[in-house]
Amino acid sequence: NLQDDLYCGLDLKWPVRGILDRNYSESRIPCVPSVIFESLSHQNFEDMRYGLDPRFKFIVSRAIYKAMTKFIATQNNQEYVIAPLPINSFALRLIGDNKVRLTWRPTVDSLESTAVAKKYGVYTRRDGEGWDNGVLVNDTVAVLPIGVDELMSYKVVAINDGGASFDSEILSAYSARNAKGEVLIING
């Protein structure tokens, strides 16, 4: 799973130096399936370059998660569903004086056919306070109310039967009472 994902995600031919099946207490004593996974050497410059790359870390972590999910499902003779990837192309636009239109696209996981979003959780934060409990939407568009003279922030997660994706980036909007025009700020 890891080799395939690294090759498809980073065009990296990751070598498998050996798979051992030994009687280690860390993997023998627990009451749940377990594995000891060694992937990088801190004495190898190339390994450390990958170890510090967030894309590499994400692909490795997701490959381990997918392999564990598939193993447990197979062991229990069940179907499995992998959680979707985070959304992309997240955008917002003020429409009228009291509404904001959020749009986004699902990220297709070309390595996992079950990782398809079925719904989306849209979360709102008012004036930098905590996030609300969110609303579920079935589409890739949400129109929400926005207060006047309040900084509103939004994030979206993709959801399916396997769980929820990581959060999207956070977008914010502000509708001023005496606005003389619109200003767009991109990433600060």
Side-chain angles (χ1 to χ4, degrees):
N1 213 75
L2 177 61
Q3 274 186 308
D4 292 345
D5 287 8
L6 284 171
Y7 182 72
C8 292
L10 294 175
D11 195 27
L12 176 63
K13 293 180 181 170
W14 192 256
V16 173
R17 295 184 179 104
I19 297 175
L20 303 176
D21 187 5
R22 299 286 189 261
N23 192 14
Y24 297 114
S25 65
E26 296 94 330
S27 61
R28 177 175 35 88
I29 292 175
C31 298
V32 297
S34 59
V35 65
I36 299 172
F37 183 81
E38 297 177 357
S39 61
L40 300 169
S41 169
H42 67 278
Q43 298 169 335
N44 180 315
F45 179 73
E46 196 67 20
D47 279 5
M48 289 317 306
R49 267 191 16 177
Y50 289 122
L52 296 172
D53 183 339
R55 296 169 307 155
F56 178 87
K57 291 193 272 189
F58 180 81
I59 290 170
V60 169
S61 300
R62 187 162 169 89
I64 293 168
Y65 151 67
K66 291 190 311 184
M68 290 172 60
T69 301
K70 291 173 186 179
F71 174 81
I72 292 169
T74 301
Q75 191 176 44
N76 294 303
N77 199 27
Q78 295 177 330
E79 296 293 320
Y80 68 89
V81 176
I82 299 298
L85 290 170
I87 61 141
N88 67 73
S89 303
F90 189 27
L92 69 74
R93 181 163 198 119
L94 290 172
I95 53 173
D97 291 335
N98 60 352
K99 290 186 181 174
V100 65
R101 176 184 165 100
L102 307 172
T103 59
W104 60 89
R105 291 187 184 134
T107 301
V108 175
D109 188 344
S110 61
L111 303 175
E112 183 55 55
S113 62
T114 66
V116 176
K118 295 199 174 174
K119 294 183 181 191
Y120 300 92
V122 180
Y123 298 88
T124 304
R125 178 176 68 189
R126 184 181 309 274
D127 286 328
E129 295 178 357
W131 294 98
D132 67 7
N133 291 329
V135 295
L136 280 178
V137 296
N138 296 320
D139 200 0
T140 57
V141 175
V143 176
L144 300 172
I146 183 170
V148 176
D149 292 332
E150 293 180 316
L151 178 64
M152 302 297 289
S153 299
Y154 307 93
K155 65 181 180 180
V156 176
V157 297
I159 301 168
N160 68 11
D161 293 338
S165 70
F166 287 115
D167 296 351
S168 67
E169 64 180 323
I170 297 169
L171 299 183
S172 299
Y174 186 86
S175 179
R177 185 175 315 280
N178 297 316
K180 293 183 171 90
E182 289 185 9
V183 176
L184 172 65
I185 301 172
I186 300 173
N187 292 334

